[in-house]
Amino acid sequence: MTNAELSPLFFLAMACILAASRVVGWAARRFLGQPQVVGEMIAGVLLGPSLLGWVAPGVEAMLFPPELKKILYVGAQLGVGLYMFLVGLTFSREEFRLNAGRAAAVSVAGMAAPFAAAAAMAPWLIAQNGLFMPQVGVAQASLFLGAAIAITAFPMLARIIHEQGLAGTRMGTLSLAAGAIGDAGAWVVMALVLASLGAGPAVAVKAAGGGLAFALVMALVAPRLLAPLGRRAEAQGMDDGLLTLVLGLFLLCAWAMDACGMHAVFGGFLLGTAMPRGALAEGLRARLEPFATTFLLPMFFTFSGLNTQLQVLGKLDLVLVTLAIMAAAVLAKGGACYLAARLSGEDNRSALGIGALMNARGLMELIIINIGLQAGIIGPGLFAILVLMAIVTTLMASPLLTLSRRFG
């Protein structure tokens, strides 16, 4: 397609994406009691081959040709990275320092149990034709599936915490901190899998070393370097020059994490945690949050939905695989995080809430399985199963959190 043909098609496609996101998001809030973002995730799947491509394949092919998917991908990465920067602005550094030990315990438990479950299931899944690609061995399948089960819906987690009024609380901060630690570990494991499939050991070393170095700089050095920006915002307000400077820093941080093999979301989130609070943080959220959540994030959900074909799950053998993965995901991740929180001193209500929040997959799951599909690790069948697992576990989070606060 020429640029002249692509431009009007992009406008039309985005109008359809925004309309679907609003309608399904409203329905999710009205009838299911879910956050808007959960409805947007479902809308992305409905716009792909699972519904629109099945009912009207010509319409889907016209709206989302291969050239447009590349634009959606770039916009999606910008949207999710910027959203996590905004999440970082609400992250309580003081609460994290007070609860770092508990967060680490919850995170380690939420990684160990899923990887054990994945190791037990991997030989059986490899025997099922087409779930993993032929070049993938048992160890690689175990690591990838473990990362997919262990991942937490970091952006979704933040959105649910915000909408439930838990932002800045001990439970909210502990869950966010545990999710950040666990997801960083899952990305290092993902780098190891890619390295073992031919990318080379340097990929894993760069991801682990680069991610750790970046996190240390953001935690120990960046807050002092960024402090003058906060003083300027307090004195002069949030002007365009300051906004441009912060956005430039965000783009550099997103690039740094992408370049070292982690993901842009970590660059955005860690920069947000290092930013001065007060007028600067409030001004940035007021200027950026509506556009990031309303326009950019739906692009990511749609891009993932275009790769999802839920029809393949109609086969009996895949139904059994789906149920097994779903059970392993809920029991291993949610159950382990609940037990770790209880053993760390949390009361039953808080531990149940943390287990419910950590069990959600959402955005991060979609990111990691998209990489797995594009890298030739998994096939369309397992991709669809993991998309369904991401949707179901994310749908479970808010009701379980409400129940835990009421009856825990």
Side-chain angles (χ1 to χ4, degrees):
M1 296 181 70
T2 65
N3 290 339
E5 294 171 325
L6 195 56
S7 177
L9 183 57
F10 171 77
F11 296 136
L12 177 61
M14 282 306 304
C16 294
I17 290 170
L18 295 183
S21 296
R22 281 289 110 185
V23 171
V24 181
W26 171 83
R29 289 198 319 274
R30 177 69 176 80
F31 301 109
L32 301 177
Q34 294 288 338
Q36 170 76 23
V37 70
V38 175
E40 292 170 2
M41 182 169 68
I42 297 171
V45 174
L46 298 181
L47 286 172
S50 296
L51 182 63
L52 181 61
W54 178 50
V55 175
V59 175
E60 189 214 3
M62 183 274 293
L63 278 177
F64 304 112
E67 295 89 344
L68 187 67
K69 290 180 183 179
K70 295 178 181 179
I71 297 175
L72 290 178
Y73 176 80
V74 175
Q77 303 315 301
L78 173 62
V80 73
L82 190 58
Y83 179 70
M84 288 313 299
F85 168 70
L86 295 169
V87 169
L89 291 175
T90 67
F91 188 78
S92 173
R93 295 191 292 262
E94 184 60 30
E95 282 288 338
F96 175 70
R97 280 191 288 268
L98 292 174
N99 297 289
R102 289 190 173 114
V106 171
S107 177
V108 169
M111 291 282 287
F115 275 98
M121 296 176 66
W124 173 55
L125 294 178
I126 284 182
Q128 310 296 313
N129 223 5
L131 293 182
F132 284 98
M133 293 294 99
Q135 73 273 19
V136 177
V138 173
Q140 295 159 332
S142 299
L143 289 174
F144 177 83
L145 184 62
I149 294 177
I151 208 80
T152 300
F154 200 19
M156 296 281 197
L157 183 65
R159 190 78 167 262
I160 293 170
I161 286 171
H162 175 75
E163 294 194 7
Q164 292 275 354
L166 296 173
T169 66
R170 177 167 158 170
M171 182 198 294
T173 302
L174 195 155
S175 299
L176 273 177
I181 295 169
D183 283 6
W187 279 105
V188 172
V189 171
M190 189 65 190
L192 287 171
V193 175
L194 294 173
S196 68
L197 288 173
V203 171
V205 173
K206 186 169 67 169
L212 179 60
F214 185 86
L216 290 174
V217 168
M218 285 295 149
L220 303 176
V221 180
R224 281 174 291 193
L225 296 178
L226 296 170
L229 301 183
R231 292 193 290 269
R232 175 176 165 179
E234 296 289 347
Q236 303 177 17
M238 189 68 207
D239 57 38
D240 290 346
L242 190 54
L243 178 63
T244 301
L245 178 58
V246 172
L247 284 175
L249 290 172
F250 158 73
L251 293 171
L252 289 174
C253 290
W255 165 80
M257 285 290 90
D258 260 339
C260 81
M262 296 292 282
H263 194 278
V265 295
F266 294 106
F269 176 73
L270 289 171
L271 176 63
T273 63
M275 279 285 166
R277 300 303 188 252
L280 180 63
E282 292 168 7
L284 287 169
R285 291 186 64 197
R287 299 281 287 269
L288 298 175
E289 191 165 14
F291 183 72
T293 57
T294 304
F295 189 84
L296 293 175
L297 270 185
M299 295 173 71
F300 177 80
F301 295 124
T302 301
F303 179 81
S304 295
L306 293 174
N307 291 319
T308 305
Q309 300 183 50
L310 294 180
Q311 293 92 333
V312 302
L313 303 183
K315 301 176 182 177
L316 179 60
D317 55 343
L318 288 187
V319 171
L320 295 176
V321 171
T322 302
L323 294 175
I325 289 179
M326 203 81 71
V330 173
L331 295 175
K333 181 71 175 183
C337 290
Y338 163 75
L339 290 175
R342 286 291 283 148
L343 292 173
S344 297
E346 296 296 319
D347 59 39
N348 192 56
R349 175 184 290 185
S350 295
L352 285 170
I354 291 167
L357 288 168
M358 295 293 288
N359 186 54
R361 300 315 191 287
L363 268 175
M364 299 303 289
E365 177 77 14
L366 297 181
I367 293 170
I368 206 167
I369 63 177
N370 269 289
I371 292 174
L373 185 67
Q374 292 160 14
I377 299 172
I378 60 176
L382 186 53
F383 181 86
I385 290 170
L386 294 174
V387 168
L388 186 61
M389 186 262 282
I391 294 173
V392 171
T393 56
T394 305
L395 284 170
M396 291 169 62
S398 287
L400 288 178
L401 180 60
T402 301
L403 287 174
S404 72
R405 297 172 74 185
R406 186 176 300 171
F407 303 112

PDB file of all heavy atoms in Angstrom, residues 301-324:
ATOM      1  N   PHE A 301      -4.321  -3.775  22.400  1.00  0.00           N
ATOM      2  CA  PHE A 301      -5.280  -4.874  22.507  1.00  0.00           C
ATOM      3  C   PHE A 301      -5.725  -5.356  21.135  1.00  0.00           C
ATOM      4  O   PHE A 301      -5.909  -6.551  20.915  1.00  0.00           O
ATOM      5  CB  PHE A 301      -6.488  -4.416  23.330  1.00  0.00           C
ATOM      6  CG  PHE A 301      -6.158  -4.096  24.756  1.00  0.00           C
ATOM      7  CD1 PHE A 301      -6.450  -2.856  25.281  1.00  0.00           C
ATOM      8  CD2 PHE A 301      -5.550  -5.028  25.570  1.00  0.00           C
ATOM      9  CE1 PHE A 301      -6.156  -2.559  26.598  1.00  0.00           C
ATOM     10  CE2 PHE A 301      -5.244  -4.743  26.881  1.00  0.00           C
ATOM     11  CZ  PHE A 301      -5.544  -3.507  27.396  1.00  0.00           C
ATOM     12  N   THR A 302      -5.886  -4.427  20.213  1.00  0.00           N
ATOM     13  CA  THR A 302      -6.303  -4.821  18.868  1.00  0.00           C
ATOM     14  C   THR A 302      -5.195  -5.578  18.162  1.00  0.00           C
ATOM     15  O   THR A 302      -5.439  -6.588  17.490  1.00  0.00           O
ATOM     16  CB  THR A 302      -6.707  -3.582  18.047  1.00  0.00           C
ATOM     17  OG1 THR A 302      -7.777  -2.915  18.707  1.00  0.00           O
ATOM     18  CG2 THR A 302      -7.148  -3.973  16.644  1.00  0.00           C
ATOM     19  N   PHE A 303      -3.947  -5.121  18.306  1.00  0.00           N
ATOM     20  CA  PHE A 303      -2.830  -5.820  17.668  1.00  0.00           C
ATOM     21  C   PHE A 303      -2.759  -7.269  18.159  1.00  0.00           C
ATOM     22  O   PHE A 303      -2.555  -8.197  17.371  1.00  0.00           O
ATOM     23  CB  PHE A 303      -1.517  -5.101  17.958  1.00  0.00           C
ATOM     24  CG  PHE A 303      -0.321  -5.779  17.342  1.00  0.00           C
ATOM     25  CD1 PHE A 303      -0.022  -5.587  16.004  1.00  0.00           C
ATOM     26  CD2 PHE A 303       0.479  -6.630  18.094  1.00  0.00           C
ATOM     27  CE1 PHE A 303       1.078  -6.228  15.427  1.00  0.00           C
ATOM     28  CE2 PHE A 303       1.558  -7.276  17.529  1.00  0.00           C
ATOM     29  CZ  PHE A 303       1.864  -7.074  16.193  1.00  0.00           C
ATOM     30  N   SER A 304      -2.925  -7.479  19.461  1.00  0.00           N
ATOM     31  CA  SER A 304      -2.908  -8.842  19.993  1.00  0.00           C
ATOM     32  C   SER A 304      -4.110  -9.638  19.498  1.00  0.00           C
ATOM     33  O   SER A 304      -3.987 -10.823  19.163  1.00  0.00           O
ATOM     34  CB  SER A 304      -2.908  -8.804  21.526  1.00  0.00           C
ATOM     35  OG  SER A 304      -1.717  -8.231  22.005  1.00  0.00           O
ATOM     36  N   GLY A 305      -5.273  -8.987  19.463  1.00  0.00           N
ATOM     37  CA  GLY A 305      -6.472  -9.674  19.005  1.00  0.00           C
ATOM     38  C   GLY A 305      -6.385 -10.130  17.567  1.00  0.00           C
ATOM     39  O   GLY A 305      -6.954 -11.163  17.188  1.00  0.00           O
ATOM     40  N   LEU A 306      -5.645  -9.401  16.741  1.00  0.00           N
ATOM     41  CA  LEU A 306      -5.486  -9.776  15.335  1.00  0.00           C
ATOM     42  C   LEU A 306      -4.669 -11.047  15.166  1.00  0.00           C
ATOM     43  O   LEU A 306      -4.685 -11.672  14.106  1.00  0.00           O
ATOM     44  CB  LEU A 306      -4.832  -8.626  14.556  1.00  0.00           C
ATOM     45  CG  LEU A 306      -5.681  -7.359  14.409  1.00  0.00           C
ATOM     46  CD1 LEU A 306      -4.880  -6.239  13.757  1.00  0.00           C
ATOM     47  CD2 LEU A 306      -6.942  -7.639  13.607  1.00  0.00           C
ATOM     48  N   ASN A 307      -3.923 -11.449  16.220  1.00  0.00           N
ATOM     49  CA  ASN A 307      -3.141 -12.689  16.175  1.00  0.00           C
ATOM     50  C   ASN A 307      -3.828 -13.845  16.883  1.00  0.00           C
ATOM     51  O   ASN A 307      -3.242 -14.920  17.018  1.00  0.00           O
ATOM     52  CB  ASN A 307      -1.769 -12.461  16.824  1.00  0.00           C
ATOM     53  CG  ASN A 307      -0.890 -11.542  16.009  1.00  0.00           C
ATOM     54  OD1 ASN A 307      -0.858 -11.639  14.785  1.00  0.00           O
ATOM     55  ND2 ASN A 307      -0.177 -10.651  16.663  1.00  0.00           N
ATOM     56  N   THR A 308      -5.056 -13.632  17.346  1.00  0.00           N
ATOM     57  CA  THR A 308      -5.738 -14.635  18.167  1.00  0.00           C
ATOM     58  C   THR A 308      -6.874 -15.294  17.393  1.00  0.00           C
ATOM     59  O   THR A 308      -7.749 -14.604  16.863  1.00  0.00           O
ATOM     60  CB  THR A 308      -6.316 -13.981  19.440  1.00  0.00           C
ATOM     61  OG1 THR A 308      -5.267 -13.315  20.129  1.00  0.00           O
ATOM     62  CG2 THR A 308      -6.933 -15.029  20.347  1.00  0.00           C
ATOM     63  N   GLN A 309      -6.850 -16.631  17.351  1.00  0.00           N
ATOM     64  CA  GLN A 309      -7.924 -17.392  16.704  1.00  0.00           C
ATOM     65  C   GLN A 309      -8.494 -18.375  17.719  1.00  0.00           C
ATOM     66  O   GLN A 309      -7.998 -19.492  17.867  1.00  0.00           O
ATOM     67  CB  GLN A 309      -7.389 -18.147  15.483  1.00  0.00           C
ATOM     68  CG  GLN A 309      -6.798 -17.238  14.410  1.00  0.00           C
ATOM     69  CD  GLN A 309      -6.342 -18.015  13.190  1.00  0.00           C
ATOM     70  OE1 GLN A 309      -7.102 -18.836  12.659  1.00  0.00           O
ATOM     71  NE2 GLN A 309      -5.133 -17.771  12.743  1.00  0.00           N
ATOM     72  N   LEU A 310      -9.539 -17.953  18.424  1.00  0.00           N
ATOM     73  CA  LEU A 310     -10.110 -18.800  19.464  1.00  0.00           C
ATOM     74  C   LEU A 310     -10.839 -20.015  18.892  1.00  0.00           C
ATOM     75  O   LEU A 310     -11.109 -20.971  19.624  1.00  0.00           O
ATOM     76  CB  LEU A 310     -11.078 -17.985  20.326  1.00  0.00           C
ATOM     77  CG  LEU A 310     -10.440 -16.865  21.166  1.00  0.00           C
ATOM     78  CD1 LEU A 310     -11.503 -16.147  21.974  1.00  0.00           C
ATOM     79  CD2 LEU A 310      -9.351 -17.408  22.080  1.00  0.00           C
ATOM     80  N   GLN A 311     -11.127 -20.008  17.592  1.00  0.00           N
ATOM     81  CA  GLN A 311     -11.836 -21.149  16.998  1.00  0.00           C
ATOM     82  C   GLN A 311     -11.035 -22.442  17.118  1.00  0.00           C
ATOM     83  O   GLN A 311     -11.613 -23.534  17.153  1.00  0.00           O
ATOM     84  CB  GLN A 311     -12.136 -20.889  15.514  1.00  0.00           C
ATOM     85  CG  GLN A 311     -13.124 -19.775  15.262  1.00  0.00           C
ATOM     86  CD  GLN A 311     -12.425 -18.439  15.074  1.00  0.00           C
ATOM     87  OE1 GLN A 311     -11.338 -18.230  15.590  1.00  0.00           O
ATOM     88  NE2 GLN A 311     -13.050 -17.540  14.335  1.00  0.00           N
ATOM     89  N   VAL A 312      -9.688 -22.322  17.171  1.00  0.00           N
ATOM     90  CA  VAL A 312      -8.876 -23.547  17.221  1.00  0.00           C
ATOM     91  C   VAL A 312      -9.084 -24.303  18.524  1.00  0.00           C
ATOM     92  O   VAL A 312      -8.697 -25.469  18.638  1.00  0.00           O
ATOM     93  CB  VAL A 312      -7.375 -23.210  17.052  1.00  0.00           C
ATOM     94  CG1 VAL A 312      -7.128 -22.494  15.748  1.00  0.00           C
ATOM     95  CG2 VAL A 312      -6.848 -22.401  18.222  1.00  0.00           C
ATOM     96  N   LEU A 313      -9.704 -23.668  19.530  1.00  0.00           N
ATOM     97  CA  LEU A 313      -9.899 -24.323  20.819  1.00  0.00           C
ATOM     98  C   LEU A 313     -11.101 -25.248  20.830  1.00  0.00           C
ATOM     99  O   LEU A 313     -11.433 -25.822  21.862  1.00  0.00           O
ATOM    100  CB  LEU A 313     -10.057 -23.263  21.921  1.00  0.00           C
ATOM    101  CG  LEU A 313      -8.900 -22.264  22.055  1.00  0.00           C
ATOM    102  CD1 LEU A 313      -9.154 -21.322  23.222  1.00  0.00           C
ATOM    103  CD2 LEU A 313      -7.575 -22.979  22.228  1.00  0.00           C
ATOM    104  N   GLY A 314     -11.773 -25.398  19.698  1.00  0.00           N
ATOM    105  CA  GLY A 314     -12.947 -26.263  19.635  1.00  0.00           C
ATOM    106  C   GLY A 314     -12.615 -27.741  19.670  1.00  0.00           C
ATOM    107  O   GLY A 314     -13.485 -28.572  19.945  1.00  0.00           O
ATOM    108  N   LYS A 315     -11.368 -28.110  19.416  1.00  0.00           N
ATOM    109  CA  LYS A 315     -10.982 -29.517  19.434  1.00  0.00           C
ATOM    110  C   LYS A 315     -10.909 -30.023  20.877  1.00  0.00           C
ATOM    111  O   LYS A 315     -10.441 -29.315  21.761  1.00  0.00           O
ATOM    112  CB  LYS A 315      -9.631 -29.704  18.746  1.00  0.00           C
ATOM    113  CG  LYS A 315      -9.611 -29.235  17.294  1.00  0.00           C
ATOM    114  CD  LYS A 315      -8.221 -29.351  16.712  1.00  0.00           C
ATOM    115  CE  LYS A 315      -8.168 -28.835  15.279  1.00  0.00           C
ATOM    116  NZ  LYS A 315      -6.797 -28.869  14.716  1.00  0.00           N
ATOM    117  N   LEU A 316     -11.336 -31.277  21.095  1.00  0.00           N
ATOM    118  CA  LEU A 316     -11.402 -31.821  22.446  1.00  0.00           C
ATOM    119  C   LEU A 316     -10.045 -31.818  23.134  1.00  0.00           C
ATOM    120  O   LEU A 316      -9.941 -31.471  24.318  1.00  0.00           O
ATOM    121  CB  LEU A 316     -11.968 -33.246  22.404  1.00  0.00           C
ATOM    122  CG  LEU A 316     -12.063 -33.950  23.773  1.00  0.00           C
ATOM    123  CD1 LEU A 316     -12.960 -33.157  24.715  1.00  0.00           C
ATOM    124  CD2 LEU A 316     -12.559 -35.374  23.607  1.00  0.00           C
ATOM    125  N   ASP A 317      -8.978 -32.218  22.401  1.00  0.00           N
ATOM    126  CA  ASP A 317      -7.672 -32.284  23.042  1.00  0.00           C
ATOM    127  C   ASP A 317      -7.204 -30.902  23.497  1.00  0.00           C
ATOM    128  O   ASP A 317      -6.582 -30.753  24.552  1.00  0.00           O
ATOM    129  CB  ASP A 317      -6.637 -32.925  22.118  1.00  0.00           C
ATOM    130  CG  ASP A 317      -6.543 -32.227  20.765  1.00  0.00           C
ATOM    131  OD1 ASP A 317      -7.474 -31.467  20.421  1.00  0.00           O
ATOM    132  OD2 ASP A 317      -5.544 -32.427  20.052  1.00  0.00           O
ATOM    133  N   LEU A 318      -7.544 -29.854  22.726  1.00  0.00           N
ATOM    134  CA  LEU A 318      -7.150 -28.504  23.117  1.00  0.00           C
ATOM    135  C   LEU A 318      -8.016 -27.974  24.254  1.00  0.00           C
ATOM    136  O   LEU A 318      -7.565 -27.131  25.034  1.00  0.00           O
ATOM    137  CB  LEU A 318      -7.208 -27.566  21.917  1.00  0.00           C
ATOM    138  CG  LEU A 318      -6.115 -27.766  20.861  1.00  0.00           C
ATOM    139  CD1 LEU A 318      -6.179 -26.662  19.814  1.00  0.00           C
ATOM    140  CD2 LEU A 318      -4.741 -27.798  21.495  1.00  0.00           C
ATOM    141  N   VAL A 319      -9.259 -28.452  24.350  1.00  0.00           N
ATOM    142  CA  VAL A 319     -10.097 -28.078  25.494  1.00  0.00           C
ATOM    143  C   VAL A 319      -9.463 -28.593  26.780  1.00  0.00           C
ATOM    144  O   VAL A 319      -9.386 -27.876  27.794  1.00  0.00           O
ATOM    145  CB  VAL A 319     -11.529 -28.630  25.337  1.00  0.00           C
ATOM    146  CG1 VAL A 319     -12.317 -28.438  26.627  1.00  0.00           C
ATOM    147  CG2 VAL A 319     -12.238 -27.939  24.184  1.00  0.00           C
ATOM    148  N   LEU A 320      -8.979 -29.828  26.774  1.00  0.00           N
ATOM    149  CA  LEU A 320      -8.328 -30.404  27.947  1.00  0.00           C
ATOM    150  C   LEU A 320      -7.052 -29.646  28.294  1.00  0.00           C
ATOM    151  O   LEU A 320      -6.769 -29.385  29.467  1.00  0.00           O
ATOM    152  CB  LEU A 320      -8.018 -31.886  27.703  1.00  0.00           C
ATOM    153  CG  LEU A 320      -9.234 -32.805  27.522  1.00  0.00           C
ATOM    154  CD1 LEU A 320      -8.792 -34.214  27.182  1.00  0.00           C
ATOM    155  CD2 LEU A 320     -10.090 -32.805  28.777  1.00  0.00           C
ATOM    156  N   VAL A 321      -6.273 -29.291  27.265  1.00  0.00           N
ATOM    157  CA  VAL A 321      -5.051 -28.514  27.492  1.00  0.00           C
ATOM    158  C   VAL A 321      -5.396 -27.153  28.095  1.00  0.00           C
ATOM    159  O   VAL A 321      -4.735 -26.686  29.032  1.00  0.00           O
ATOM    160  CB  VAL A 321      -4.268 -28.341  26.170  1.00  0.00           C
ATOM    161  CG1 VAL A 321      -3.120 -27.343  26.352  1.00  0.00           C
ATOM    162  CG2 VAL A 321      -3.718 -29.670  25.702  1.00  0.00           C
ATOM    163  N   THR A 322      -6.440 -26.533  27.568  1.00  0.00           N
ATOM    164  CA  THR A 322      -6.854 -25.218  28.069  1.00  0.00           C
ATOM    165  C   THR A 322      -7.228 -25.285  29.547  1.00  0.00           C
ATOM    166  O   THR A 322      -6.803 -24.456  30.352  1.00  0.00           O
ATOM    167  CB  THR A 322      -8.051 -24.690  27.257  1.00  0.00           C
ATOM    168  OG1 THR A 322      -7.686 -24.609  25.882  1.00  0.00           O
ATOM    169  CG2 THR A 322      -8.463 -23.308  27.749  1.00  0.00           C
ATOM    170  N   LEU A 323      -8.031 -26.285  29.920  1.00  0.00           N
ATOM    171  CA  LEU A 323      -8.450 -26.429  31.315  1.00  0.00           C
ATOM    172  C   LEU A 323      -7.256 -26.705  32.221  1.00  0.00           C
ATOM    173  O   LEU A 323      -7.173 -26.180  33.336  1.00  0.00           O
ATOM    174  CB  LEU A 323      -9.485 -27.550  31.435  1.00  0.00           C
ATOM    175  CG  LEU A 323     -10.835 -27.294  30.747  1.00  0.00           C
ATOM    176  CD1 LEU A 323     -11.722 -28.536  30.833  1.00  0.00           C
ATOM    177  CD2 LEU A 323     -11.528 -26.090  31.377  1.00  0.00           C
ATOM    178  N   ALA A 324      -6.321 -27.513  31.742  1.00  0.00           N
ATOM    179  CA  ALA A 324      -5.144 -27.837  32.553  1.00  0.00           C
ATOM    180  C   ALA A 324      -4.276 -26.608  32.779  1.00  0.00           C
ATOM    181  O   ALA A 324      -3.817 -26.350  33.904  1.00  0.00           O
ATOM    182  CB  ALA A 324      -4.329 -28.940  31.867  1.00  0.00           C
TER     183      ALA A 324
END
